[in-house]
Amino acid sequence: MDDHRTFVIAGAGLAGATAAEALRSEGFTGHVVLLGDEPERPYERPPLSKGLLLGTAERDTVHVHRAGWYAEHDVELRTNSAVVDLDRAAHRVRLADGEQIRYDKLLLATGAAPRTLPIPGIDLDGVLQLRTLADSDQIAAAVTDGTRLVVIGAGWIGLEVAAAARTRGAEVTVVETASLPLQRVLGDRLAAAFADLHREHGVVFHFGARTRELRGAGRVSHVVLDDGTVLDADVVLIAVGVSPNTALAERAGLRVDNGILVDSTLRTDDPDIFAAGDVANVDHPLLRSRVRVEHWANALHSGPAAARAMLGRTDGYDRLPYFFTDQYDLGMEYAGWIPPGATTDLIIRGDLGRREFVAFWTIDGRVAAGMNVNVWEVTDPIQDLIRAGLKGAVVDPADLRNSAVSLEELVS
Ligand SMILES: Cc1cc2nc3c(=O)[nH]c(=O)nc-3n(C[C@H](O)[C@H](O)[C@H](O)COP(=O)(O)OP(=O)(O)OC[C@H]3O[C@@H](n4cnc5c(N)ncnc54)[C@H](O)[C@@H]3O)c2cc1C
């Protein structure tokens, strides 16, 4: 029997697109409307700071589905269609052009947007950010051999663009308020390894430095730091993190606190509204905490999990946070989650100096997170160790350090 319900998905990124796919693969025969404010059909963002900038990935390989997939699966994809209002009582969303669409269930998969800096000169030409395909195209066009690029923010995106820009022959300076890149996530020892990697490739860092002002006549030409240092710049990338796109949810009175608050099935406090991907702050059943994850794998898996919840399944979403990065010849995967303020021990298995190792963060002997650098096929046992740790299993640090003891053995 055909289902006459309409399921609307606001946000046509990876979470939205995979949710639409899952609705169909789980057998939903009703109407699926996927609304995105970008001109492109859904695409994956990781290549925007890597393969696309390096010229190793083709632009048309980044899309989540073939162009024909949406029509073939009877998914009404509407690009350039920003949802501007949500009327929960009437079960309706309103688009920028005034059109209203009624929903039975609604998924908010509106993602996140780059933060900006409240400093003079931020609107000058040549001051760029990176979130969309168009942003990546703009960076690729602006950053060529000899370009003086100043990256503000030494997080994942800033460092990936720095690496790609060096490979393109640009002169790269990175400005960061902390005393090392990625310091908050990795801690001093491993953060220093990332700083060394970039220095070896010719990146110049200014740590402990705040940007006071961007200067230029129409186009940016200089970056002024708080201590008066003036850096020459042809292009400036602002890479100071993202904020979840929660405005729609907030205006509609949904609970929002660092993302849209959802339970472990990705449902909001409105039984007909769900959230997934970067925008969702999930009550995580394994981590026993609220967690908002801004990474690819979370969008890939939480979209389908939300779709199942929209169909009334209550299996929940208990994936461990996972992400990856590629910078020069360093490839890395990280899994797990360290509660804010927790005291951790860092255990290295392998060779940190040669950048071939697995790092474990333990809390009272339990593995809380693991990161494999240029070591592959280990994320499954690392995640098994973390899951075991969450159930209380303690691992001998000597065994974790000892590459002769296989990770599978430790799990068992
Ligand atoms: C350059 C870059 C590189 C990255 N690299 C990695 C990586 O190497 N590894 C990793 O794990 N993660 C990486 N990420 C993070 C990963 O891409 C994100 O976690 C993922 O894109 C989140 O998917 P999402 O669908 O939740 O949100 P998004 O991808 O942000 O998609 C949300 C969509 O909704 C749209 N939207 C917002 N509001 C509305 C509205 N009101 N109406 C209609 N549409 C709306 C947005 O414009 C967007 O198109 C990277 C991100 C970027 C930007």
Side-chain angles (χ1 to χ4, degrees):
M1 194 177 73
D2 266 357
D3 194 321
H4 296 291
R5 291 177 298 169
T6 297
F7 284 9
V8 170
I9 302 169
L14 182 58
T18 53
E21 181 179 332
L23 285 174
R24 288 298 180 229
S25 64
E26 296 283 339
F28 180 61
T29 56
H31 192 187
V32 178
V33 187
L34 177 56
L35 302 167
D37 60 0
E38 294 191 56
E40 298 276 345
R41 70 180 190 274
Y43 57 90
E44 308 208 13
R45 298 184 198 275
L48 308 190
S49 51
K50 307 179 191 68
L52 282 187
L53 287 187
L54 292 164
T56 55
E58 294 293 328
R59 204 173 188 283
D60 58 7
T61 59
V62 303
H63 293 100
V64 182
H65 297 109
R66 284 179 296 106
W69 184 90
Y70 298 92
E72 284 162 23
H73 291 82
D74 202 14
V75 170
E76 186 183 344
L77 168 65
R78 296 170 66 168
T79 52
N80 290 313
S81 295
V83 178
V84 294
D85 194 37
L86 161 56
D87 181 341
R88 287 167 55 193
H91 275 59
R92 267 200 292 263
V93 292
R94 184 163 55 83
L95 305 186
D97 65 5
E99 183 183 345
Q100 307 215 25
I101 302 175
R102 221 197 67 77
Y103 65 82
D104 292 285
K105 303 277 179 200
L106 172 68
L107 173 63
L108 297 172
T110 46
R115 286 194 209 114
T116 183
L117 284 177
I119 53 171
I122 194 76
D123 294 328
L124 288 167
D125 287 346
V127 180
L128 307 179
Q129 296 197 308
L130 177 53
R131 183 74 189 176
T132 65
L133 255 179
D135 295 338
S136 181
D137 290 344
Q138 214 182 346
I139 294 168
V143 177
T144 53
D145 199 9
T147 304
R148 293 165 305 176
L149 169 69
V150 176
V151 176
I152 300 179
W156 299 112
I157 304 273
L159 292 185
E160 287 178 1
V161 174
R166 284 299 298 142
T167 310
R168 294 171 77 88
E171 289 174 29
V172 179
T173 304
V174 177
V175 177
E176 164 63 47
T177 50
S179 54
L180 284 168
L182 307 167
Q183 193 173 23
R184 197 177 46 79
V185 194
L186 298 183
D188 287 0
R189 196 165 161 212
L190 294 175
F194 272 83
D196 290 345
L197 169 74
H198 281 267
R199 283 200 190 98
E200 281 167 28
H201 285 85
V203 171
V204 174
F205 284 105
H206 289 262
F207 290 122
R210 215 163 267 284
T211 305
R212 184 204 300 166
E213 181 184 355
L214 306 176
R215 283 191 195 144
R219 187 177 176 87
V220 71
S221 58
H222 296 94
V223 175
V224 185
L225 306 185
D226 252 1
D227 66 359
T229 303
V230 179
L231 307 172
D232 295 332
D234 303 309
V235 177
V236 173
L237 179 79
I238 309 291
V240 293
V242 296
S243 304
N245 290 324
T246 53
L248 197 59
E250 260 172 279
R251 282 200 306 274
L254 292 168
R255 285 202 308 146
V256 168
D257 180 10
N258 177 33
I260 301 170
L261 297 183
V262 288
D263 65 15
S264 61
T265 69
L266 306 180
R267 205 184 72 172
T268 67
D269 46 336
D270 181 323
D272 293 326
I273 305 181
F274 301 75
D278 280 11
V279 79
N281 186 342
V282 183
D283 191 359
H284 198 290
L286 278 186
L287 302 172
R288 291 185 285 272
S289 178
R290 284 212 164 270
V291 181
R292 189 175 69 78
V293 178
E294 294 168 353
H295 296 302
W296 171 88
N298 177 58
L300 183 75
H301 297 299
S302 66
R308 287 191 291 277
M310 292 164 89
L311 293 167
R313 321 257 159 89
T314 51
D315 38 339
Y317 183 69
D318 64 0
R319 292 254 173 187
L320 290 175
Y322 162 93
F323 68 93
F324 62 92
T325 185
D326 294 305
Q327 298 171 28
Y328 313 104
D329 55 358
L330 180 148
M332 175 282 251
E333 297 172 286
Y334 178 109
W337 182 76
I338 297 172
T343 303
T344 56
D345 291 311
L346 176 66
I347 295 164
I348 306 284
R349 154 188 288 240
D351 193 333
L352 179 58
R354 289 183 51 201
R355 299 188 192 110
E356 264 182 42
F357 64 93
V358 182
F360 295 98
W361 287 264
T362 61
I363 300 174
D364 300 329
R366 291 172 284 108
V367 176
M371 173 172 96
N372 46 305
V373 172
N374 290 344
V375 173
W376 302 110
E377 312 295 334
V378 290
T379 191
D380 285 347
I382 289 173
Q383 295 197 27
D384 287 343
L385 280 170
I386 296 166
R387 281 192 204 90
L390 287 165
K391 289 186 191 140
V394 168
V395 185
D396 185 342
D399 287 341
L400 272 183
R401 209 171 282 122
N402 183 358
S403 305
V405 181
S406 80
L407 295 180
E408 286 78 4
E409 219 175 298
L410 283 178
V411 173
S412 64

